Amino acid sequence: MRTQAQPIGGPLLTRGYIVLLTLAAIGILLILWRFAVGLGASTGLSDGYPLGLWIALDVVTGTALACGGYAVALVVYIFNKGKYHPLIRPAILTSALGYTIAGASVAVDLGRPWNMWKIPTYFWSWNLNSSLLEVALCIMAYVFVLWIELSPAFMEKWSVDGPPRLQRVSQRLLPIVNKALIWIIALGMLLPTMHQSSLGSLMMLAGPKLHPLWLTGWLPLLFLMTCLAMGYAIVVFESVFSSAAFGRRPEMPMLINLQKIAAWGGLVFIAARLADLAYSGNLHYAGRLDLYGTMFWIENVLWILPLVMMLAFPRPTLGSIFRGAMVVALAGALYRFDTYLVAFNPGPGWHYFPSVPEMFISIGLIALELAAYVAIVKRFPILAGRTLGA
Amino acid sequence: MSTDRRGFFKNIAAAATLAVLPATAAEAREKKVPPSDAVGMLYDTTLCIGCKACVVACKEANSMPADIDGYGQGLYDSPDSLNQYTKNIIQLYRDAGEESFVKKQCMHCIDPACVGACMLGALQKGKYGVVTYDVSKCVGCRYCETVCPFNVPKFQWAKVAPKIVKCEFCKERLAAGKEPACTEVCPRKAVIFGSYADLLDEAHRRLKNNPGRYVPKVYGEHELGGTQVLYLSHFEFEKLGFRFQQDESVPHLQQSVNHGVYKGFIGPVALYALLGAVMFRNRGNSEKES
């Protein structure tokens, strides 16, 4: 696919970048330590709260924030809005990095990660009832799909100035990948539809341990809706951030429209959620102002806030859509975090708070993701648009 | 913007379709019944004297290490709950003059959440309906712990190569024609072994012959879809730590929804075909405008 994307260029090792690398290095050292001492000594996890920060934040929330590629691909390829094409490469890049980091988090979290290879290969043992199996297989496949979707960005550069062998391979492969891309991208929309909804199904199986304000047969649908809203929001967030950090001119009209989708999506989400709770007769739990009722309303307020902000300030500015996108991302993150940790009650006597190494491993992996993002956009044609003032 | 809005409504239509699917499929899943060769245990709080012979026998039969983290202060085995060293435990409930012992171990659910959760079937409903564990298929994800309504599966947190620890009904002893270690040693026959059907009959016989002695129900006959370990108690079951009294099994909701959406994998294949077809129709457009 032809593109106007250009590498940003410029020096890599800025001061901020060194901070990122330091955090990443701390995270990686702690990961090595975690494998040496086991999960009991390195985390706050317990038999009551066997899933913690790494799953609720890095996987469940992180992959939703990595749904920008999915969300924009829907706009460009399904709703046929070709003009949004410049947004796609950076969105796919954040998706590829986000999902790769989520996969890494899972490997750190698993007790027996050396058995991971059996998940895709022991197909005769697959438990087709397991939402987690579906999530695992889909995410593994999706990481591959995302990097293939992104591979033209690398090959375009390498086919011009790569080392001779890489140059030859890139020149030969680029047209093949470009031709197959349509079916790969279709797969890149199917897989998130499946596993993002299954991340919701997964907690349906917690059954009565999950608070009734969160436990519903609509969990898969609600999770799908949140990942789309978060996907649009993160593209806005990232575009505004890139424009500020790298001095690019932002694609304002498009970003405004994406933010509109995200904001109205919040309203649809709340409507669906309240309707479902009213129908199931569990809405009365929302009237109790205990921890659960309070969190429920904080989530709902965050979901409606972007729309209120949008309607209250009808002339969107870069700042206003940035703030709106941040609130959408926060709303979705909180909803997902609550579903996995706050609304999950294993019974009296159990408590969970992540340990310091647990937090630094999460921080380190996120820093690694950001560092990779910056390095790739500086060296490869990802971001489109003109340099500001040039 | 008008076209965006149209796309937006299309999204809603698609979402609505997805939502209707589970709703229509929800009644389709049949209630699970115990296998015909199902074995079970029946525990009776009025007979248990809390001697913990069953706890010791369980540890010996399963070669479990002593739990010296708790009250034993490093000197003797003293688990206070099911944990990574303990597959069977006697606990004491005490409140305002009321007292009762209660035995805890895997309930061997008729429709177990852990089996529904387990990716590669490391946890399975095996022979006699016993829920067994095969470490070679376990990745240590701990999803079984998350979903178990009885908090039974435990994880070896202290180990670098951790396994899941849970009662497997002494499956090796069963295969050798013996009963589980805990039922064999119980001096008061507070916990007895037998076929599931016989034990259910026995439980109802005790309820009928001793009116007023028990809370008038057999816990596990209906609760959470039924369990192969059955309980009679002289106190409310909630007080003894049985948090949930619902009849619906835990996997019922999730599997009803998933079977609706993923039936025959038609849904995903159709969606892929649809996405591909729409993209094929739109081809060239994104390049033209970019």
Side-chain angles (χ1 to χ4, degrees):
Chain A
M1 231 149 268
R2 211 162 48 77
T3 169
Q4 298 176 331
Q6 296 286 325
I8 301 282
L12 201 51
L13 279 179
T14 60
R15 199 174 301 159
Y17 202 76
I18 291 169
V19 173
L20 285 180
L21 288 183
T22 311
L23 287 171
I26 293 171
I28 289 165
L29 287 174
L30 283 170
I31 288 172
L32 295 175
W33 172 74
R34 164 259 172 274
F35 280 110
V37 300
L39 284 163
S42 53
T43 71
L45 298 170
S46 63
D47 288 316
Y49 286 97
L51 306 181
L53 188 68
W54 296 335
I55 298 298
L57 182 73
D58 297 39
V59 179
V60 178
T61 307
T63 60
L65 291 173
C67 275
Y70 170 42
V72 178
L74 278 179
V75 169
V76 173
Y77 297 108
I78 299 304
F79 299 124
N80 207 14
K81 301 270 153 253
K83 65 175 180 185
Y84 287 84
H85 204 258
L87 295 178
I88 235 181
R89 267 200 186 165
I92 298 275
L93 174 61
T94 29
S95 296
L97 290 169
Y99 270 89
T100 307
I101 291 299
S105 301
V106 170
V108 175
D109 180 83
L110 288 180
R112 308 177 72 81
W114 52 89
N115 275 349
M116 254 173 116
W117 64 274
K118 293 177 180 176
I119 298 172
T121 54
Y122 275 32
F123 50 86
W124 60 89
S125 290
W126 283 352
N127 172 13
L128 297 178
N129 283 328
S130 172
S131 295
L132 187 61
L133 176 74
E134 208 230 288
V135 169
L137 291 175
C138 269
I139 288 185
M140 284 179 185
Y142 191 44
V143 170
F144 276 107
V145 165
L146 282 167
W147 286 107
I148 295 172
E149 278 185 54
L150 197 62
S151 65
F154 297 100
M155 291 194 288
E156 275 166 21
K157 180 174 159 67
W158 287 331
S159 60
V160 176
D161 64 0
R165 181 172 297 172
L166 203 54
Q167 193 171 359
R168 269 201 307 281
V169 172
S170 297
Q171 281 164 353
R172 195 162 320 144
L173 258 142
L174 190 56
I176 300 173
V177 171
N178 274 338
K179 202 166 275 176
L181 212 51
I182 181 169
W183 297 105
I184 294 165
I185 293 170
L187 203 53
M189 287 184 271
L190 174 71
L191 292 172
T193 311
M194 287 169 67
H195 68 246
Q196 284 297 337
S197 57
S198 285
L199 279 170
S201 312
L202 221 142
M203 284 312 275
M204 274 200 284
L205 200 58
K209 286 159 102 173
L210 195 62
H211 192 276
L213 285 172
W214 283 266
L215 176 69
T216 155
W218 282 23
L219 262 177
L221 180 69
L222 294 176
F223 263 62
L224 193 59
M225 288 161 76
T226 54
C227 88
L228 281 170
M230 290 163 86
Y232 290 119
I234 211 69
V235 170
V236 174
F237 185 85
E238 184 210 317
S239 302
V240 176
F241 177 79
S242 297
S243 69
F246 304 125
R248 321 282 291 184
R249 188 170 298 155
E251 310 276 358
M252 269 307 267
M254 296 184 209
L255 299 183
I256 291 168
N257 278 343
L258 291 189
Q259 179 53 25
K260 269 185 194 160
I261 302 179
W264 284 102
L267 184 69
V268 176
F269 173 82
I270 293 190
R273 193 181 191 193
L274 292 178
D276 173 47
L277 283 170
Y279 179 75
S280 68
N282 284 333
L283 195 55
H284 64 94
Y285 288 102
R288 299 185 190 171
L289 285 184
D290 54 2
L291 170 69
Y292 303 106
T294 311
M295 292 312 281
F296 177 80
W297 286 114
I298 293 176
E299 286 175 18
N300 290 346
V301 167
L302 285 175
W303 275 115
I304 204 80
L305 194 58
L307 189 63
V308 174
M309 287 160 68
M310 201 175 80
L311 296 177
F313 305 98
R315 295 184 67 91
T317 62
L318 202 58
S320 78
I321 61 167
F322 183 75
R323 283 188 293 275
M326 244 166 60
V327 177
V328 173
L330 195 64
L334 187 64
Y335 170 70
R336 286 170 167 245
F337 205 78
D338 281 352
T339 308
Y340 272 73
L341 283 177
V342 177
F344 176 76
N345 177 6
W350 296 108
H351 305 282
Y352 169 70
F353 196 81
S355 72
V356 172
E358 227 176 324
M359 291 191 252
F360 270 94
I361 286 175
S362 274
I363 292 169
L365 287 173
I366 293 165
L368 189 64
E369 183 182 342
L370 291 176
Y373 179 86
V374 171
I376 291 172
V377 296
K378 283 192 173 174
R379 292 289 173 268
F380 293 94
I382 302 291
L383 294 174
R386 306 112 294 190
T387 308
L388 213 59
Chain B
M1 186 53 208
S2 69
T3 42
D4 273 343
R5 194 163 290 147
R6 196 165 67 217
F8 181 67
F9 285 121
K10 263 196 237 166
N11 264 338
I12 298 176
T17 320
L18 260 173
V20 171
L21 274 173
T24 50
E27 297 108 79
R29 186 175 186 265
E30 280 179 26
K31 189 176 169 355
K32 292 267 170 79
V33 292
S36 55
D37 63 350
V39 295
M41 289 181 200
L42 171 60
Y43 175 79
D44 186 330
T45 59
T46 65
L47 298 176
C48 180
I49 53 167
C51 71
K52 300 188 192 173
C54 59
V55 180
V56 177
C58 173
K59 290 233 167 179
E60 278 176 9
N62 293 291
S63 312
M64 298 299 289
D67 175 4
I68 52 173
D69 297 346
Y71 304 119
Q73 300 177 339
L75 289 176
Y76 53 92
D77 183 24
S78 54
D80 58 0
S81 62
L82 296 180
N83 59 33
Q84 56 191 317
Y85 316 109
T86 312
K87 297 180 175 184
N88 171 53
I89 187 88
I90 296 289
Q91 290 175 318
L92 174 67
Y93 153 73
R94 181 190 284 159
D95 184 42
E98 297 180 338
E99 266 188 6
S100 175
F101 293 106
V102 60
K103 183 177 184 292
K104 298 276 176 71
Q105 73 295 302
C106 176
M107 301 291 282
H108 299 279
C109 297
I110 290 163
D111 190 6
C114 61
V115 171
C118 192
M119 286 191 278
L120 294 178
L123 289 163
Q124 264 187 359
K125 197 106 175 109
K127 218 176 166 200
Y128 311 119
V130 168
V131 179
T132 58
Y133 173 65
D134 173 1
V135 68
S136 73
K137 290 177 181 171
C138 176
V139 295
C141 69
R142 309 182 298 281
Y143 187 27
C144 52
E145 296 195 83
T146 308
V147 301
C148 177
F150 301 104
N151 288 350
V152 163
K154 302 294 175 189
F155 186 73
Q156 292 177 323
W157 294 101
K159 297 228 168 149
V160 175
K163 298 175 189 170
I164 289 295
V165 173
K166 72 177 278 300
C167 157
E168 297 177 71
F169 221 100
C170 285
K171 59 182 177 187
E172 289 85 6
R173 291 174 58 94
L174 282 185
K178 290 191 269 188
E179 64 179 290
C182 60
T183 59
E184 188 186 65
V185 297
C186 183
R188 296 264 297 165
K189 297 287 166 231
V191 61
I192 56 173
F193 166 78
S195 87
Y196 171 78
D198 289 350
L199 291 176
L200 196 55
D201 286 348
E202 171 62 18
H204 280 287
R205 192 158 41 241
R206 289 186 198 177
L207 280 180
K208 199 173 144 207
N209 294 345
N210 305 283
R213 182 169 185 176
Y214 301 105
V215 173
K217 76 167 174 182
V218 183
Y219 190 95
E221 183 179 7
H222 303 294
E223 284 73 14
L224 297 149
T227 58
Q228 284 176 231
V229 179
L230 301 167
Y231 282 78
L232 287 173
S233 166
H234 56 305
F235 290 118
E236 293 299 324
F237 285 96
E238 286 96 333
K239 292 180 175 174
L240 304 184
F242 294 95
R243 257 178 98 196
F244 304 118
Q245 313 299 320
Q246 65 180 50
D247 285 354
E248 189 181 286
S249 78
V250 170
H252 183 80
L253 173 69
Q254 183 258 351
Q255 290 188 12
S256 303
V257 174
N258 265 23
H259 290 180
V261 177
Y262 285 101
K263 194 166 194 175
F265 218 60
I266 294 167
V269 172
L271 182 58
Y272 184 59
L274 183 70
L275 290 170
V278 173
M279 283 182 67
F280 191 71
R281 197 200 64 194
N282 296 344
R283 74 192 180 283
N285 190 315
S286 57
E287 291 163 65
K288 197 162 62 226
E289 290 188 44
S290 69

